[in-house]
Amino acid sequence: MTRLTEKDVDGLGTELIIYERNLAEKTGLKLGEIAAMAGAISWEDFQGAARDYQVGVVPITSGQGVIGGFSEAVVQIIRQLGFKGRITEKTDVNGFYEGVTKGLEIIFMADDARFVALNLRTGQIADNAIATGRGYVAALNAMTQGFPGSEVLVLGCGPVGLACVEYLLELGSGLAVYDCDSSKLKRLHQGAIKHERNLEEAIKKYPYIVDATPASSFISLPEPPAKVFVAAPGVPMGLTNKSYSQHAKNVIHDPLQIGVATMLAMAVSPPRIKK
Ligand code: 2YC
């Protein structure tokens, strides 16, 4: 998982209105609606939960330490979704204790290895990588109105890429993967998943692409007017600067927003019957 820098989150909290407008232009949906879809909770129930839960963000100093502005960005996204949210004064276990004893029932916290949202009332825990994969697929699904006419190409099969695969299978979408170790793919569905071996060829073949790789600026898209729609979660950005600027209006990309919003939806979503 690529660690964010202060620069990646700088100003994020103050630009959420512009961010939401841009996202709605591309997808027709609000951030909360995309998160609710990916989190398998109705928009109404998600709004109900916003009136019902108090949310805390606990800064964690382990490993490489806190990222300046990270907790602030997370709590602003939570508030943008209509929830009451605050950062605990204390950090780490002390901050967790402070949050629980002050009645915060959903706790967000991230160390260098994992970023979670824990619902203390239900015991549900949401993982950022899974939430990010699902949230970006939901956004791409909305932007393309259901991926007409082609499979979706998922690049990379780490935790985010595998969550994308899982959710695309749930949506019943056609699916192709690149650079995926087939042993990691869902065994029972392997037949339904195309394996692409050559990146350049694959990029030309699929109009719907999810970049779930940690590599930067290695994807060159076909020149306009080729129609291509890209979901590019987190940092670094996998598209080359040229491709990103040529196709910007069809690219969904942010360092935290969709992942955090979907974590919150997953944390308050009714428990799913384990298959
Ligand atoms: O400020 C803090 O509390 C730090 N301990 C936060 C460290 C987050 C490390 N993870 C990341 O930078 C990225 C984020 C997008 C979430 C997942 N990986």
Side-chain angles (χ1 to χ4, degrees):
M1 173 174 58
T2 310
R3 182 177 162 92
L4 290 170
T5 65
E6 286 189 35
K7 199 169 61 63
D8 294 322
V9 295
D10 182 38
L12 185 152
T14 59
E15 292 151 10
L16 282 170
I17 307 290
I18 301 164
Y19 169 83
E20 283 251 37
R21 195 179 315 126
N22 188 287
L23 186 64
E25 270 163 28
K26 291 179 180 175
T27 66
L29 297 176
K30 298 175 201 279
L31 177 60
E33 290 173 305
I34 289 166
M37 198 181 291
I41 180 171
S42 73
W43 175 231
E44 293 67 33
D45 288 351
F46 194 30
Q47 291 175 298
R51 292 188 293 274
D52 182 18
Y53 280 94
Q54 298 212 43
V55 186
V57 181
V58 182
I60 303 295
T61 64
S62 66
Q64 297 181 63
V66 302
I67 299 172
F70 176 80
S71 294
E72 291 72 12
V74 173
V75 82
Q76 288 302 339
I77 295 164
I78 290 164
R79 291 175 182 156
Q80 175 76 10
L81 295 166
F83 284 72
K84 287 181 284 307
R86 64 181 215 244
I87 303 170
T88 57
E89 272 148 51
K90 303 285 191 302
T91 64
D92 306 299
V93 177
N94 211 359
F96 185 77
Y97 181 84
E98 175 196 331
V100 174
T101 51
K102 286 185 177 168
L104 307 184
E105 288 188 286
I106 296 174
I107 301 281
F108 279 72
M109 52 191 162
D111 63 13
D112 294 346
R114 198 174 283 274
F115 178 18
V116 298
L118 172 62
N119 183 329
L120 295 167
R121 195 187 298 177
T122 66
Q124 240 147 290
I125 190 157
D127 168 78
N128 173 264
I130 296 170
T132 299
R134 294 179 70 90
Y136 267 83
V137 165
L140 191 63
N141 187 32
M143 178 160 71
T144 63
Q145 305 193 351
F147 311 119
S150 168
E151 298 93 346
V152 180
L153 173 65
V154 176
L155 305 177
C157 62
V160 175
L162 288 179
C164 294
V165 167
E166 178 106 19
Y167 189 42
L168 283 163
L169 290 170
E170 271 179 47
L171 291 171
S173 309
L175 179 56
V177 295
Y178 167 75
D179 179 30
C180 276
D181 163 1
S182 56
S183 67
K184 285 192 198 166
L185 292 175
K186 261 176 100 91
R187 221 157 305 290
L188 52 156
H189 287 289
Q190 269 188 13
I193 300 174
K194 285 186 185 171
H195 271 245
E196 291 295 339
R197 306 274 176 220
N198 178 301
L199 179 68
E200 283 66 36
E201 273 163 40
I203 299 287
K204 289 198 188 80
K205 239 161 89 180
Y206 298 92
Y208 313 126
I209 300 171
V210 181
D211 169 28
T213 70
S216 73
S217 61
F218 71 104
I219 302 170
S220 291
L221 297 175
E223 302 272 324
K227 267 277 177 235
V228 57
F229 298 87
V230 181
V235 295
M237 162 53 78
L239 300 181
T240 61
N241 288 339
K242 182 175 171 225
S243 290
Y244 190 17
S245 57
Q246 283 180 330
H247 296 274
K249 64 179 180 16
N250 290 351
V251 177
I252 298 169
H253 167 66
D254 67 41
L256 265 180
Q257 292 90 325
I258 288 175
V260 167
T262 306
M263 286 169 78
L264 192 46
M266 289 174 74
V268 297
S269 173
R272 293 157 63 147
I273 322 297
K274 277 267 168 283
K275 277 179 238 151

